[in-house]
Amino acid sequence: DVPLFSLDYICMPGRRKIYVEIIDPDKETSTASHELRSRLGVVAASYADLETVTPASSWQDSLILCGFYKAGKTRDDDRLFMLQKEVFDEILTACDNAPLLDTDHHEAHVVDVTLYLDNLITKGGIPTNMFKASLGEEKTRDFFSKVFFGVCDA
């Protein structure tokens, strides 16, 4: 029972941006989520020297437990990658320590994640919109549900 992890890495000539978000689609702030947020605060402090960017407001803002929005030059690639790795390591630790969902909670979790997925496809976001433009909505939904979110039976 852990929140979703979202990572966008944007490469532009001479510039980089990373958006790392921890998303809780059922809006539940469990003790585990608070502990994770605290540990991620320590990680964030280590990268305070990197430029912080403000993402555009989005329909999913209320679901984001915490986010890292950083920018840099190509010379900052190593630090940006390390930030992503440290956040991901904390997520993996949270996964190792999280309780398994019982049947009822698992079904509710799948419903919450599926609702989030449906909203992501219909309301969009920059990366999702790029997928939809490239693959079409149906193939994007299929890929997201099978690969990104694992909420389908196939």
Side-chain angles (χ1 to χ4, degrees):
D1 186 13
V2 294
L4 299 172
F5 171 79
S6 174
L7 168 65
D8 298 320
Y9 193 80
I10 304 152
C11 292
M12 301 167 284
R15 295 275 299 153
R16 306 290 189 259
K17 287 185 181 180
I18 63 163
Y19 290 3
V20 181
E21 295 171 328
I22 311 305
I23 301 166
D24 196 349
D26 65 4
K27 298 182 186 179
E28 183 178 309
T29 52
S30 66
T31 303
S33 293
H34 287 296
E35 290 171 10
L36 177 60
R37 189 181 311 170
S38 175
R39 288 194 313 273
L40 290 173
V42 173
V43 172
S46 300
Y47 295 90
D49 60 302
L50 291 172
E51 176 188 351
T52 299
V53 294
T54 303
S57 185
S58 166
W59 64 269
Q60 55 191 323
D61 289 348
S62 66
L63 304 176
I64 298 171
L65 290 175
C66 62
F68 299 83
Y69 309 99
K70 296 290 185 175
K73 305 273 187 213
T74 53
R75 69 176 178 265
D76 299 313
D77 277 346
D78 288 344
R79 300 250 314 130
L80 292 167
F81 282 124
M82 284 306 299
L83 170 58
Q84 295 169 67
K85 182 188 178 312
E86 287 186 37
V87 172
F88 192 61
D89 286 347
E90 290 297 341
I91 294 295
L92 291 177
T93 298
C95 289
D96 286 342
N97 296 327
L100 294 177
L101 296 171
D102 61 32
T103 302
D104 291 338
H105 287 104
H106 179 267
E107 290 173 11
H109 187 73
V110 168
V111 168
D112 290 336
V113 171
T114 302
L115 178 61
Y116 176 76
L117 165 64
D118 289 343
N119 282 326
L120 192 57
I121 298 294
T122 58
K123 296 178 181 178
I126 294 171
T128 301
N129 294 345
M130 291 173 66
F131 269 93
K132 289 185 342 184
S134 177
L135 300 175
E137 186 171 321
E138 186 177 325
K139 286 184 179 179
T140 298
R141 180 181 300 280
D142 185 61
F143 181 72
F144 279 25
S145 65
K146 289 178 181 174
V147 177
F148 282 170
F149 296 99
V151 292
C152 68
D153 294 330

